[in-house]
Amino acid sequence: MDKIVVIGGRRLEGQVTISGAKNAVLPIMAACLLAHGRFRIKRVPELRDVRTMSHLLRIIGARVDQEGHELRIDTTNCSFFEAPYELVKTMRASIYVLGPLVARYGYARVSLPGGCAWGPRPVDLHIKGLQKLGAEIGLERGYIVARAKKLKGTTITLDIPSVGATGNILMAAALAEGTTVIENAAREPEIASLAEFLNGMGAQIEGIGTDRLVIRGVQELQPADFETIPDRIEAGTFLVAGAITQGDVTVRQVVPDHLRSVLAKLTDAGAEVFEGPDWVRVKCDRRVKAVDVTTAVYPGFPTDMQAQWMALMCIAEGTSVIVDTIFADRFTHVAELRRLGADIRMDGNSAHVVGVPKLQGAPVMSTDLRASASLILAGLVAEGRTDVSRVYHIDRGYERIEEKLKGLGAEIWREQEPWPEAVVGVMPPDES
Ligand code: UD1
């Protein structure tokens, strides 16, 4: 098992190229199950979650080859329509195969993900949506079993604009008979990009990027090639790295519009923000000011940036309040940040962060993907050495984060850490 070691105190400077978005490519990989044939997906990040989804597609019968950042998927011989518990428990996004399988093959058996460190995280909206489209869904020994002869278009109003439920219903509706309208749909760029991909396959989706998606079902979809959109969370993390180290960091190959809420908060905190068509630069000459953040659905401040923002606020001048309205329990990083000397008090889903002038390096344990990122960010400014263990979490969603940070001037490296005998074989839970 690896850990990441950071020696704090270096000012980060330079440019970093952002990878394709994990949360965009995972549903796109699942969507390939909607057609027979060969797909080519470009700008695919080399991540553990992508390998897990590839593994799942292979179980279903697809051929999947990743060469660098290009993924080739051949869905000609799919014949086993199941997502086993062993995989779903390591990656919740496995649920994305449910909609495509039931729409394309009329049957799917997908393990229920169960709870996670951020709370219960139900998938009821996925199930209700597919039921409204006409699928018969039962729960059998921990598995969602869905059957349908032919899905039928209808209007589905989501109680919450869930990213996953919108994606699953969208994929299923693409092959349904008649028109489906999804009201209160998620507007996240990753959902818009999924809809663009589906349209490239021959789907007829309108309202892309809005909270009302209109899908005219088609008989059949064809394979297509696609390029993954940039990862706005990776980009946001590197911009915070620039601000926290009072540095000057440019993220390249990004869509600045996807980063609006984060850029506005960085500006409020006193950083200078410059941008071009596909790059954003953050320059910060002094200690940032405390700025409150409340997470919200897109285009609001992303919950996936909450932990990284908290790391920044730990060394800000003043007190800030950080509220997570999307996942009320997503605060596993707080106890670890405190070990580095942060002054944080929790009150329900609100964190009150009193900025301190300095953090001190310490061994910390990363508890989920974005929490790990926040600990590395804190380590960049902590005095001395910070060892962030259990970095398998970070490898789920950041491609070579230590190399990219090193390229910006950080003193950081990866080390092997022996697993204690007792935990060998225990798969880590998934949280994003
Ligand atoms: C996705 C992202 C994750 C991000 C989250 C919110 C992927 C692979 N993961 O997760 O990184 O943090 O969006 O931006 O893209 N909910 C229900 N019932 C459901 C589904 C969701 O109550 O059936 C609730 C959740 O508990 C949560 C809220 O809706 O409180 C939002 O969750 P959702 O948007 O579905 O997140 P995910 O798709 O799981």
Side-chain angles (χ1 to χ4, degrees), residues 22-24 26-27 49 92-93 95-96 118 120-127 160-166 186 188 190 232-233 296-298 302-304 325-328 330 369-370 396 431-432:
K22 163 181 99 70
N23 288 352
L26 295 177
D49 274 11
R92 297 180 67 87
I95 190 85
Y96 272 132
W118 312 345
R121 289 191 79 183
V123 288
D124 56 316
L125 300 175
H126 302 236
I127 294 174
I160 303 170
S162 154
V163 174
T166 304
E188 270 68 5
E190 294 74 21
R232 62 195 167 99
I233 306 302
V297 295
Y298 188 82
T303 173
D304 285 349
T325 65
I326 310 290
F327 296 108
R330 193 178 188 174
L369 169 56
R370 307 302 169 188
R396 288 193 36 231
E431 272 90 21
S432 62

Side-chain angles (χ1 to χ4, degrees), residues 1 390 392 418-428:
M1 191 158 61
R390 297 200 180 179
Y392 50 76
W419 278 71
E421 200 63 33
V423 295
V424 172
V426 178
M427 283 300 280

Side-chain angles (χ1 to χ4, degrees), residues 163-200:
V163 174
T166 304
N168 239 330
I169 297 166
L170 182 63
M171 290 187 274
L175 279 184
E177 206 176 279
T179 300
T180 301
V181 180
I182 310 177
E183 304 272 11
N184 198 26
R187 288 190 286 158
E188 270 68 5
E190 294 74 21
I191 290 296
S193 137
L194 171 65
E196 301 284 4
F197 175 60
L198 291 169
N199 277 353

